[in-house]
Each structure stands twice: as structure tokens, then as C-alpha cells.
Amino acid sequence: MLRTSQAAPLIGISQGHLKRQMDSKGGPLRHGHHYFLGPTKNSPILWDVEAVRAEFDRLGMLHRKGEQLLNEIHNAS
């Protein structure tokens, strides 16, 4: 588990973008799986970097498959 400032560069995104991906802010990353909050408001957010990478990979694959299906539909008509 790494703090936001350590996790973001390893994932290849900014700290702000990483935080915007939290489910509490409408993103796909789930509390208790991808990130963990500390006991106080000022506690650091801890990230499971491998779980976050896996989720981004999954979402990227879904996006690509969706584009491929749309292209196939478009080309068939």
C-alpha cells in the first residue's frame, strides 16, 4: 500500500486524477479494494497499486472491445 504521492507516478497519472477516480467521486476505484482511508480526515489515502492497474487495464479492454463492436456494426451497414 502506497500513499497517493507514491502511487500516482507508478500508475502513470497525476495525484489529482487518481483521486478523481475514487468511487466517492464517481470513479471506478472502490474503497476497501483499490484504496483505503485512514482514521482521520488528514490521514493519507493508501492505494493498492496492482489492484488499480488491474482495474484500469480491465476498463481499457472494455473500451477497446466497445469501439471494435461499434466499428463492426458501422461497417456492416
Side-chain angles (χ1 to χ4, degrees):
M1 298 297 205
L2 297 174
R3 293 172 175 238
T4 305
S5 62
Q6 300 164 316
L10 291 176
I11 298 166
I13 60 176
S14 71
Q15 293 180 43
H17 185 68
L18 180 57
K19 288 181 179 180
R20 285 190 297 274
Q21 301 308 303
M22 297 165 68
D23 52 359
S24 61
K25 297 180 181 177
L29 302 180
R30 297 184 323 262
H31 174 259
H33 181 71
H34 300 104
Y35 69 94
F36 301 84
L37 302 175
T40 69
K41 183 179 177 182
N42 292 329
S43 296
I45 301 169
L46 298 178
W47 299 88
D48 182 337
V49 171
E50 291 308 313
V52 171
R53 284 180 176 157
E55 182 65 6
F56 285 163
D57 180 62
R58 186 185 75 80
L59 293 171
M61 290 303 296
L62 284 174
H63 182 77
R64 285 169 180 79
K65 286 180 184 179
E67 284 183 340
Q68 180 182 9
L69 287 172
L70 288 174
N71 287 333
E72 289 172 8
I73 291 169
H74 178 73
N75 292 334
S77 54

